[in-house]
């Protein structure tokens, strides 16, 4: 008898725990059978999951805010689920559990690793979940329907390279800070950046790349080391958020205001440092809010309207956008400095 | 021996109740949980943690602590990748990488067993060393492009059952037999209960400790191979969170952190509890951020209950003795 009592107590305890965590799974019994991708569904029934590389990174929060607003307007359900660490195996597990859960219509995912996610995304597609990647992609394009990004990685990297060359007037020493080593998009951006510097600005010396892994504190420490090791450093180029903040902090703390800090960050987050008189901080990103919003729009159009995006198409309302293969891109890099940072709100 | 028998009553019962309670709760509230596919996926996901947890438990039983398990997973993963990319046959790469893990484990054991350095300090040092080796060999990149045959280990199914589960099952059986039937197992428990007494009992403490750390490293290496296969990439940070998760699972499973008592079945159930809990949270779309918190609460609750039931037992025993004395007077 005692065992049964203890068992009941434990079950009730878990009920409390799950209840506090806020799970409500009403109507789980009456699920529709999995239909093929050809069928379109009513807006109110559409359940989309947005999965960032990792939870808690500001840029992804911004993506989600814009996406949620658009989702609410369209009347669809958008859940924001992601791994608590930047760890591909955790993200793979999450996608697997989504497949088990059985009530996801579409997955909008920013893969933590371009290779590791391929098998499980294919599995998801087989299970009837429509998969789209945004911000970063997987290496196998059959693992998802479309890759949605604001501007091609090559274009972004080339722009960065050109701006760096222009800012340094062709001569100087540059330190490069990137995010995580297995991110396809970040790697491609860096390659483009390095190519432009090598080919068009051969007198610029580039230091070996360091990686902050999505951690602002780590970026700070890495930039401090860069500054210490290179007393003649002219510019720190940051390819992935939230590194720019760490770089700006490091340069600020070092007092070496001649070092230009340039790279990826959202205007709101870097505004304070950008406006400091002793710092020269220039941002290079893209309109995060638009990407978040349009990603949801595109997913919705595919599911609810059965839309297909073919080579040469453009996205409605964005004449500069293009569809290259299965990559839907808006071709819009955004650069801003202390004079223009207030124009943006994200 | 007696200590192990006592553990069977309190700890195991609590653990089983937690396990059953969680399973029943999820089955009722989340029907998708019971789907064969979901259960198999849980088993597929937990194998990596299960394998390395066996090794973690083994070292803890000796009264020690191996902080380098996660680093070992990463190092083995990278070695498989680097050797394969260097032109070796994939299985040769795997074998050589496992041998490297074994050597690393022997080194760990030597530091603790021979030089008598405190286990946590020694393995903290080696953890940094192995992480460094992994990063240096991989140059920070992830290596991929493995052959289908190799990927089957981590992603394949045999009759609907994930392949790595067979590996885990085999290791569990092997370890249970070794720990419960063999002389080696008895030596390990005795060393954990009291290293000085064990030495006077004539046990070669040094040798046993070295073997334990070596085995733990080998198990971590195996886990690394499975992770590499499942993710189809060799990474220096593979299994980075598995050390702490493994220790948590081992503690949940009833192994005494001071050494000397703990069962293989407890550890595996501990890993299962965490895997099922994680799965339940994912199925209910509960944010991963809350997940850490909840896992922590579950672990603390079990530990606290164990602590209090232990004290209660002590008090009952003592009051029982007093009663006997007064009666006989």
């Amino acid at each position: 008898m005692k065992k049964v009592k203890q068992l009941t107590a434990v079950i009730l305890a878990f009920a409390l725990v799950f209840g506090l965590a806020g799970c409500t799974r009403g109507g789980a019994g009456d699920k529709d059978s999995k239909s093929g991708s050809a069928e379109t569904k009513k807006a109110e029934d559409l359940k989309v999951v947005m999965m960032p590389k990792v939870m808690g990174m500001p840029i992804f929060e911004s993506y989600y805010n814009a996406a949620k607003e658009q989702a609410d307007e369209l009347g669809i359900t958008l859940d924001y689920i992601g791994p608590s660490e930047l760890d591909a195996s955790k993200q793979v597990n999450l996608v697997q559990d989504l497949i088990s859960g059985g009530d996801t219509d579409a997955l909008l995912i920013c893969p933590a690793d371009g290779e590791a996610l391929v098998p499980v995304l294919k599995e998801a597609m087989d299970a009837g979940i429509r998969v789209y990647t945004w911000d970063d992609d997987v290496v196998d394009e059959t693992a998802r329907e479309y890759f949605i990004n604001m501007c091609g990685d090559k274009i972004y990297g080339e722009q960065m390279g050109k701006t760096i060359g222009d800012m340094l007037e062709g001569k100087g020493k540059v330190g490069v800070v990137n995010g995580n080593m297995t991110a396809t998009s970040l790697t491609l951006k860096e390659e483009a950046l390095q190519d432009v510097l090598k080919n068009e600005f051969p007198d610029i010396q580039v230091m070996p790349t360091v990686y902050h892994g999505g951690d602002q504190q780590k970026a700070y420490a890495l930039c401090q080391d860069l500054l210490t090791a290179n007393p003649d450093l002219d510019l720190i180029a940051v390819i992935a958020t939230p590194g720019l903040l760490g770089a700006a902090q490091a340069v600020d703390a070092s007092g070496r205001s001649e070092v230009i800090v340039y790279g990826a960050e959202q205007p709101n987050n870097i505004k304070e440092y950008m406006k400091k008189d002793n710092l020269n901080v220039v941002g290079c990103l893209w309109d995060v809010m638009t990407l978040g919003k349009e990603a949801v729009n595109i997913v919705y159009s595919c599911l609810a309207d059965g839309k297909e995006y073919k080579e040469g198409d453009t996205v409605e309302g964005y004449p500069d956008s293009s569809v290259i293969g299965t990559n839907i891109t808006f071709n819009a890099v955004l650069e801003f400095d202390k004079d223009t940072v207030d124009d943006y709100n994200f | 021996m007696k200590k192990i028998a006592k553990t069977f009553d309190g700890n195991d019962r609590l653990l089983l109740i937690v396990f059953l309670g969680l399973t029943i709760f999820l089955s009722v509230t989340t029907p998708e949980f019971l789907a064969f596919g979901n259960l198999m996926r849980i088993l597929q996901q937990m194998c990596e943690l299960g394998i390395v947890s066996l090794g973690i438990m083994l070292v803890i039983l000796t009264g020690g602590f191996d902080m380098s398990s996660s680093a070992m997973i990463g190092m083995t993963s990278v070695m498989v990748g680097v050797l394969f990319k260097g032109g070796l046959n994939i299985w040769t790469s795997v074998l050589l990488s496992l041998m490297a893990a074994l050597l690393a484990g022997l080194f760990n054991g030597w530091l603790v067993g021979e030089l008598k350095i405190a286990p946590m300090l020694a393995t903290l040092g080696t953890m940094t060393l192995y992480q460094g080796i992994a990063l240096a060999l991989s140059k920070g990149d992830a290596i991929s492009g493995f052959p289908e045959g190799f990927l089957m280990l981590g992603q394949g199914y045999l009759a609907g059952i994930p392949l790595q589960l067979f590996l885990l099952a085999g290791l569990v059986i092997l370890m249970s037999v070794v720990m419960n039937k063999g002389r080696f197992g008895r030596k390990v428990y005795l060393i954990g209960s009291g290293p000085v007494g064990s030495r006077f009992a004539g046990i070669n403490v040094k040798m046993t400790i070295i073997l334990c750390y070596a085995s733990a490293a080998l198990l971590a290496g195996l886990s690394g191979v499975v992770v590499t296969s499942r993710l189809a990439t060799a990474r220096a940070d593979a299994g980075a969170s598995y050390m702490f998760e493994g220790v948590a699972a081992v503690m949940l499973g009833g192994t005494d952190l001071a050494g000397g008592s703990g069962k293989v079945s407890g550890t595996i159930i501990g890993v299962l509890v965490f895997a099922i809990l994680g799965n339940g949270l994912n199925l209910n779309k509960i944010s991963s951020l809350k997940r850490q918190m909840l896992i922590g609460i579950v672990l603390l609750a079990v530990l606290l209950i164990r602590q209090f039931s232990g004290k209660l037992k002590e008090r009952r025993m003592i009051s029982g003795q007093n009663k006997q004395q007064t009666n006989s007077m």
Side-chain angles (χ1 to χ4, degrees), chain A residues 74-225:
Chain A
L74 292 171
I76 64 176
T77 313
L78 184 72
D79 284 311
Y80 185 54
I81 302 170
S84 48
E85 291 141 12
L86 189 56
D87 182 345
S89 68
K90 296 272 181 314
Q91 206 185 37
V92 167
N93 290 357
L94 263 178
V95 178
Q96 278 187 325
D97 288 343
L98 278 184
I99 298 173
S100 297
D103 74 337
T104 304
D105 297 308
L107 171 63
L108 182 61
I109 178 173
C110 181
D113 181 313
E115 289 258 8
L117 268 293
V118 170
V120 75
L121 287 182
K122 285 190 175 169
E123 218 185 295
M125 303 230 303
D126 285 339
I129 302 178
R130 303 189 60 175
V131 178
Y132 306 86
T133 50
W134 110 93
D135 183 272
D136 205 339
D137 201 9
V138 283
V139 298
D140 184 343
E141 64 171 6
T142 60
R144 79 294 184 274
E145 288 187 24
Y146 300 112
F147 167 44
I148 308 164
N149 67 346
M150 210 52 196
C151 60
D153 300 319
K154 198 148 166 281
I155 297 178
Y156 184 83
E158 282 173 358
Q159 178 63 39
M160 280 192 85
K162 280 201 202 82
T163 306
I164 293 173
D166 290 338
M167 284 201 283
L168 293 181
E169 291 173 4
K171 260 167 73 138
K173 207 177 199 188
V174 174
V176 178
V177 180
N178 207 340
N180 65 314
M181 309 148 198
T182 54
T184 323
S185 164
L186 295 176
T187 311
L188 288 171
K189 286 174 181 160
E190 191 188 327
E191 267 173 25
L193 190 164
Q194 301 270 16
D195 281 341
V196 165
L197 287 181
K198 196 166 53 173
N199 296 332
E200 291 177 38
F201 304 96
D203 289 328
I204 292 185
Q205 192 191 359
V206 184
M207 303 311 294
T209 313
V210 290
Y211 298 89
H212 63 59
D215 185 339
Q216 185 187 321
Q217 299 292 36
K218 196 158 176 214
Y220 179 81
L222 287 169
C223 290
Q224 274 187 320
D225 292 341

Side-chain angles (χ1 to χ4, degrees), chain A residues 148-327:
Chain A
I148 308 164
N149 67 346
M150 210 52 196
C151 60
D153 300 319
K154 198 148 166 281
I155 297 178
Y156 184 83
E158 282 173 358
Q159 178 63 39
M160 280 192 85
K162 280 201 202 82
T163 306
I164 293 173
D166 290 338
M167 284 201 283
L168 293 181
E169 291 173 4
K171 260 167 73 138
K173 207 177 199 188
V174 174
V176 178
V177 180
N178 207 340
N180 65 314
M181 309 148 198
T182 54
T184 323
S185 164
L186 295 176
T187 311
L188 288 171
K189 286 174 181 160
E190 191 188 327
E191 267 173 25
L193 190 164
Q194 301 270 16
D195 281 341
V196 165
L197 287 181
K198 196 166 53 173
N199 296 332
E200 291 177 38
F201 304 96
D203 289 328
I204 292 185
Q205 192 191 359
V206 184
M207 303 311 294
T209 313
V210 290
Y211 298 89
H212 63 59
D215 185 339
Q216 185 187 321
Q217 299 292 36
K218 196 158 176 214
Y220 179 81
L222 287 169
C223 290
Q224 274 187 320
D225 292 341
L226 264 174
L227 289 164
T228 316
N230 302 288
D232 54 344
L233 194 68
D234 294 304
L235 185 148
I236 298 181
V238 182
I239 302 177
T241 67
L244 196 69
L245 211 43
Q249 286 170 333
V251 172
D252 193 23
S254 73
R256 284 163 58 173
S257 40
E258 77 282 0
V259 177
I260 304 174
V261 181
Y262 169 67
E265 186 52 76
Q266 299 175 90
N268 284 354
N269 294 349
I270 197 73
K271 200 184 291 205
E272 185 198 328
Y273 282 90
M274 212 168 247
K275 293 198 163 166
K276 281 192 171 194
D277 285 325
N278 62 325
L279 289 179
N280 185 2
V281 182
V282 180
C284 178
L285 195 68
W286 53 82
D287 194 339
V288 170
M289 303 307 264
T290 303
L291 182 53
K293 176 172 147 206
E294 290 306 324
V296 169
N297 267 338
I298 291 172
V299 171
Y300 178 78
S301 68
C302 292
L303 266 75
D305 303 329
K307 190 160 164 62
E308 278 177 27
Y309 291 86
K310 295 197 199 49
E311 183 90 29
D313 282 348
T314 56
V315 179
E316 230 179 275
Y318 296 90
D320 286 330
S321 64
S322 55
V323 179
I324 308 165
T326 50
N327 177 195

Side-chain angles (χ1 to χ4, degrees), chain B residues 38-67:
Chain B
N38 183 49
L39 293 174
M40 286 303 115
R41 272 180 222 113
I42 297 176
L43 289 174
Q44 191 198 51
Q45 293 170 8
M46 59 77 75
C47 280
E48 297 153 18
L49 184 59
I51 296 174
V52 72
S53 297
L54 290 176
I56 292 174
M57 182 189 97
L58 187 58
V59 168
I60 290 182
L61 282 178
T62 66
F65 200 93
D66 186 354
M67 295 207 65

